[in-house]
Amino acid sequence: MCGIIGYIGKRQAQPILVNALKRLEYRGYDSCGLAVSGSDIRVYKDAVRIVELEKALPQLRGAIGIGHTRWATHGAPSQVNAHPQCDCTGNIAVVHNGIINNFQQLKQKLISEGHTFVSETDTEVIPHLIEKYYRDGSDLEEAVEAALGDIEGSYAIIILTAGEPKLVAARKDSPLIIGIGDRENFIASDVPAVLEYTSRVIYLEDSDIVVVTPQSITVKRDSIEVSREEHRISWGVEQAQKGGYEHFMLKEIHEQPKVIRDTLVEYTQTAEPVIDLEKMLDVSEESMLILACGTSYHAALIGKYLTEGLLSIPVRAEIASEFSYYGQTLARTMAIVITQSGETADTLKAIKRLKEVGCPVLAITNVVGSSASRIANQTIYTRAGPEISVAATKSFMAQLVVLYWLVMSYSKVDARRLASMLLELRQMPSKVQQVLDNENKILEVAKYLSGYENVFFIGRGINFPVALEGALKLKEISYIHAEGYSAGELKHGPFALLGNDTPVIAIMSQDNTYEAMLTNIKEIKARGSPVIAIVGEGDEAIEGLADWVITVPRVSAIFSPMVNTAALQLLAYYTAKERGCSIDTPRNLAKSVTVE
Ligand code: AGP
């Protein structure tokens, strides 16, 4: 997820582009750049935040320009990988938000036709394709249409061409809006970028191509002009950055169905596995070690259940900050480290230690070019996009998708079972959406829970780590003291804390843990604690036993952590909201913990 902007009008473009990019930084901030067309096209870009770029920017004169703030997917953050990307002549500059899936093939073909590439980005194929068709005598729109015909993937793009008093833009599976001004117009990824200049916007639809001049906006689809409705925006800039949600955390929770889809598309499209696990691990012989911190550690624990269940190899899931104190036997072990930011000091230290003893390391991270991706032997990226809220939500869900896909790619289960598991995994975006649609019920329970200061979360099997994650989410944003426990462990001590002022949240799953969980709930009720149960649809046994029941779609136990987690994220969010906490920036916490 990147932020793109285009301006054409009566004013100097540069200050407007810079200002708009500041408003779009929540979409990505690892590098940025802009291009302005005066007598020729001048490009200025670097791997810095927009405020830094602004300080170094020369004056680029011109009333037409484009800009970009990046969230790297292909090619680490660097000056040459930053956008705009240009063609060989430098007369065509493009900013892009999305992923071109077939860029490698297109690039090879263009190179064989004499094009020279300078970056590692997928985006750079776009200006070269447009150059190819433009050179062959097409006009600019035709050249853009022909280029888009070759591209597979998602895109929102804006094209600036030397000598052309217009901007051309197009979208497919990435958002793009037009801001309507007085003798000036704006093109942007999202409304926060233009709100300072206009509240009149048009939302472009998939496959729309638009030609924008200071006086006109022409939207075409399949070369036929179409009309698009104008909307008046009443939100302020900050609210717009949150997509109308009150907090980034709630927005990011609601982005999860798309995040699951995006991460799945990335890895299940290609026939050959993206990572050659067998090169790193002899799944018949060796063991696996999964290391991480915080929420990522809870994903590691789920990875352990999955891998032992489907690959039947021994897996240790360990807290990275503890790792350096163990006397580890790492022979014949492969390590996976999980880290959203890719910058967590404890996790980086663990990677370095593993590499010192020759242990191959696979990193699963959300940030391209992060330290973890640079020092690990191999990296798989989650496609959660930038996560602004300190409390990790969508990044955790994306980590689970990568673990499911990775383990299923190497599992020994029979093809039929594997096919049905992949089918169910592909249904998870809509199952998680169903949980999000049931928000009001969770809000009710949150109102009740917000009055307590101590809470236990319990689960068994693959939902024990979910209990840990539910407790972490609640404590880090609502400041309620919450603990996650394997349900069987509660009677070995914590039972002493039970009573009517200590609710217990039980995460049920229709598997071999169900009966034991029911028994635990009866034991807990007998000691006076209120019980909130998270159960699959159609669960009658729990009725009358739990004080509150939150129902989630019924899915196979192996996938239940995804729906259960979504419900627990919402419960934590609304409980914290009920208590008036500063949800996106909780006290004493940082999004990335870069100190040991
Ligand atoms: C989770 O909500 C917290 N922000 C925190 O526990 C986080 O998961 C932990 O610091 C690990 O961060 P990482 O995934 O970026 O390495």
Side-chain angles (χ1 to χ4, degrees), residues 196-255:
E196 220 161 304
Y197 309 102
T198 176
S199 60
R200 299 170 57 204
V201 304
I202 291 172
Y203 291 92
L204 293 177
E205 294 176 16
D206 272 351
S207 310
D208 282 356
I209 295 184
V210 62
V211 179
V212 179
T213 71
Q215 290 77 21
S216 67
I217 296 163
T218 315
V219 184
K220 290 188 181 168
R221 159 148 321 158
D222 308 325
S223 312
I224 298 156
E225 196 163 336
V226 289
S227 70
R228 293 282 174 255
E229 193 192 340
E230 177 183 324
H231 298 258
R232 274 245 180 230
I233 303 292
S234 56
W235 294 337
V237 171
E238 193 175 324
Q239 205 188 352
Q241 286 172 329
K242 295 173 185 154
Y245 292 97
E246 195 177 341
H247 295 96
F248 278 111
M249 182 179 178
L250 189 60
K251 178 186 176 216
E252 288 158 4
I253 290 174
H254 280 268
E255 283 175 358

Side-chain angles (χ1 to χ4, degrees), residues 283-560:
V283 284
S284 58
E285 296 270 333
E286 294 169 348
S287 70
M288 189 188 282
L289 174 63
I290 314 181
L291 288 164
C293 301
T295 286
S296 296
Y297 170 64
H298 299 149
L301 279 171
I302 292 172
K304 170 184 166 65
Y305 284 92
L306 288 176
T307 311
E308 291 186 340
L310 294 175
L311 289 187
S312 7
I313 56 169
V315 178
R316 278 175 274 154
E318 288 169 12
I319 296 169
S321 54
E322 277 301 309
F323 177 60
S324 40
Y325 307 127
Y326 298 164
Q328 290 288 340
T329 52
L330 290 169
R332 309 180 68 70
T333 296
M334 172 214 153
I336 296 181
V337 297
I338 306 179
T339 165
Q340 185 285 127
S341 61
E343 303 298 345
T344 300
D346 292 318
T347 308
L348 296 181
K349 187 173 172 196
I351 299 177
K352 290 176 189 137
R353 176 142 191 271
L354 288 161
K355 294 199 69 181
E356 275 157 22
V357 293
C359 185
V361 179
L362 167 67
I364 298 178
T365 184
N366 194 43
V367 181
V368 174
S370 58
S371 307
S373 71
R374 283 201 303 272
I375 56 178
N377 298 85
Q378 295 205 38
T379 301
I380 299 180
Y381 293 109
T382 52
R383 294 294 180 210
E387 191 171 62
I388 307 295
S389 180
V390 167
T393 53
K394 61 177 181 172
S395 61
F396 177 69
M397 203 61 90
Q399 288 164 354
L400 296 189
V401 175
V402 165
L403 288 166
Y404 282 122
W405 163 78
L406 191 61
V407 173
M408 283 158 64
S409 307
Y410 289 90
S411 78
K412 298 189 179 54
V413 296
D414 67 71
R416 266 163 62 101
R417 177 158 176 235
L418 194 59
S420 79
M421 286 169 68
L422 200 51
L423 180 65
E424 189 169 7
L425 184 55
R426 289 213 168 98
Q427 291 163 349
M428 291 317 290
S430 60
K431 299 288 181 187
V432 169
Q433 187 60 56
Q434 286 174 43
V435 177
L436 303 179
D437 298 342
N438 182 27
E439 203 161 25
N440 292 338
K441 171 68 187 191
I442 297 173
L443 179 53
E444 225 186 298
V445 182
K447 283 202 165 84
Y448 165 78
L449 193 61
S450 65
Y452 291 91
E453 293 306 327
N454 297 290
V455 175
F456 281 109
F457 288 73
I458 58 169
R460 282 177 179 265
I462 200 168
N463 280 295
F464 162 45
V466 176
L468 295 174
E469 178 56 11
L472 178 60
K473 284 288 99 60
L474 188 68
K475 72 183 128 200
E476 70 178 317
I477 62 171
S478 75
Y479 313 146
I480 292 174
H481 177 222
E483 289 202 55
Y485 260 84
S486 76
E489 252 321 271
L490 220 61
K491 52 184 169 292
H492 300 290
F495 259 24
L497 297 175
L498 296 184
N500 53 25
D501 58 357
T502 306
V504 175
I505 298 174
I507 300 140
M508 314 290 288
S509 177
Q510 295 292 343
D511 60 5
N512 56 1
T513 67
Y514 188 77
E515 292 309 320
M517 284 297 291
L518 273 184
T519 310
N520 291 140
I521 289 177
K522 291 173 188 152
E523 293 161 348
I524 292 162
K525 289 293 298 170
R527 287 157 179 78
S529 274
V531 170
I532 297 166
I534 313 269
V535 299
E537 274 147 4
D539 182 320
E540 268 123 39
I542 200 72
E543 294 302 340
L545 195 54
D547 301 83
W548 297 85
V549 175
I550 294 174
T551 305
V552 295
R554 192 177 274 243
V555 297
S556 309
I558 195 174
F559 295 117
S560 60

